[in-house]
């Protein structure tokens, strides 16, 4: 029975990763279409805010179905949301950290060349692996570390676009840019692993945790809407530039967000990174057919590295999807030897 149970669990994890990859790839393609074809560009900050609202509503609906009846559903909300300000504060941490990450990424892009930004920002992949080892007391084998850095290099090559010379001189501060990218990378690794630790450290329903996080996420994104586009939104309206395609992008982002939490719950953040890399490859291939994008040698090599790294990371190994008990020595945990 044990081998059968392990095979079923593996198939479920692969299913979650495959769905997340397909949703993420479809989202990327739809997002590119809306940003290149629509005459009136919508405010991306409002789209992010609406996405958080939809994810909250979907989580509430799934929790209602999970609890079975209205009485238990109300009791669950009262106990875990309305009556647990401490838990709400705990789940507000990822939302705040992600907000810092997005702002630091924008600051870094404004002060670094696009190529340098592409390369350095992919350090979030090994940073996530390091946070997983340090915060969740897990070990990664030497082969797994190799596959993580191979994935990092593959994503860089897949997304590589040669710099184009322009006559515009932009004043940049590289020191500020590298500092911002370092903060963004650390925020990315910490926030994802922190949320995974919260999910797996208690028996609280995944959908309750999602509700707690999305409530704080709505507050954070509303602040972002006001600070970034408040004046223009007041003039043009909250839903300015919205089309059916924009709503499709928002829906895909919402479904993708929910699937991401499922993947984190039942696999780990490192596998989420591999799934995101596979989505980049799929969306780029689709862009060749839909938008006439040219396949380059660097893209082909990057795709090969991504595929090999996914295979190497998936080889039989010690289970890394649950939090380990005990506190092994730091050196042993980091090296995995």
């Amino acid at each position: 029975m044990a081998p059968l149970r392990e095979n079923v669990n593996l198939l479920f994890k692969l299913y979650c990763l495959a769905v997340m990859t397909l949703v993420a790839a479809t989202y990327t393609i739809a997002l590119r279409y809306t940003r290149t074809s629509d005459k009136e560009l919508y405010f991306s900050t409002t789209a992010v805010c609406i996405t958080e609202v939809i994810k909250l509503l979907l989580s509430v609906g799934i929790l209602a179905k999970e609890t079975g009846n209205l009485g238990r559903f109300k009791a669950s909300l009262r106990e875990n949301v309305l009556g647990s300000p401490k838990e709400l504060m705990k789940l507000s941490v990822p939302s705040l950290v992600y907000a810092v990450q997005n702002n630091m990424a924008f600051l870094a892009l404004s002060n670094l060349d696009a190529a340098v930004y592409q390369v350095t920002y992919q350090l979030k992949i090994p940073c996530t692996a390091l946070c997983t080892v340090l915060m969740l007391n897990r070990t990664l084998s030497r082969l797994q570390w190799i596959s993580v850095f191979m994935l990092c290099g593959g994503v860089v090559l897949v997304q590589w676009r040669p710099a184009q010379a322009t006559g515009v001189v932009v004043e940049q501060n590289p020191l500020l840019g590298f500092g911002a990218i370092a903060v963004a990378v650390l925020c990315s690794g910490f926030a994802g692993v922190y949320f995974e630790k919260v999910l797996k450290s208690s028996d609280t329903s995944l959908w309750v945790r999602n509700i707690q996080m999305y409530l704080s996420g709505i507050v954070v994104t509303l602040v972002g809407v006001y600070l970034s586009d408040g004046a223009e939104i007041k003039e043009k309206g909250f839903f300015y530039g919205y089309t059916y395609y924009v709503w499709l992008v928002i829906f895909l982002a919402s479904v993708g967000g929910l699937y991401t939490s499922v993947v984190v719950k039942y696999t780990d953040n490192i596998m989420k990174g591999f799934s995101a890399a596979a989505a980049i490859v799929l969306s780029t291939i689709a862009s060749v057919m839909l938008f006439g994008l040219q396949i380059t040698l660097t893209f082909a090599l990057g795709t090969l590295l991504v595929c090999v790294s996914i295979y190497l990371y998936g080889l039989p190994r010690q289970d890394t999807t649950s939090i380990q008990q005990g506190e092994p020595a730091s050196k042993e945990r980091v090296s995995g030897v």
Side-chain angles (χ1 to χ4, degrees), residues 75-118:
S76 179
L77 286 182
R78 192 180 304 112
E79 177 184 354
N80 296 295
V81 180
L82 301 178
S84 300
K86 183 179 178 181
E87 294 299 310
L88 285 175
M89 291 297 294
K90 184 189 296 184
L91 269 297
S92 68
V93 172
S95 299
L96 293 172
V97 174
Y98 279 131
V100 172
Q101 174 196 338
N102 292 333
N103 282 280
M104 289 297 102
F106 178 80
L107 181 62
L109 186 58
S110 301
N111 287 279
L112 295 173
D113 292 335
V116 175
Y117 172 83
Q118 282 180 335

Side-chain angles (χ1 to χ4, degrees), residues 51-63 66 76-77 80-81 87-88 90-92 94-95 98 192 195-196 198-200 202 204-219 253-266:
T51 298
E52 293 296 304
V53 173
I54 293 177
K55 287 191 288 188
L56 174 65
L57 295 176
L58 290 174
S59 296
V60 169
I62 295 173
L63 178 64
E66 185 181 74
S76 179
L77 286 182
N80 296 295
V81 180
E87 294 299 310
L88 285 175
K90 184 189 296 184
L91 269 297
S92 68
S95 299
Y98 279 131
F195 182 56
E196 181 181 351
V198 171
L199 281 181
K200 296 180 178 178
S202 71
T204 305
S205 167
L206 167 64
W207 307 111
V208 168
R209 291 302 192 193
N210 277 341
I211 291 170
Q212 292 169 339
M213 186 171 71
Y214 296 146
L215 281 172
S216 58
I218 291 171
V219 175
S254 303
V255 174
L258 293 184
Y259 257 105
T260 297
S261 63
V262 173
V263 168
V264 170
K265 173 73 173 178
Y266 295 105

Side-chain angles (χ1 to χ4, degrees), residues 99-136:
V100 172
Q101 174 196 338
N102 292 333
N103 282 280
M104 289 297 102
F106 178 80
L107 181 62
L109 186 58
S110 301
N111 287 279
L112 295 173
D113 292 335
V116 175
Y117 172 83
Q118 282 180 335
V119 173
T120 53
Y121 195 46
Q122 298 313 318
L123 290 174
K124 65 184 180 179
I125 298 172
C127 182
T128 299
L130 183 61
C131 287
T132 298
V133 169
L134 296 178
M135 294 173 62
L136 302 183

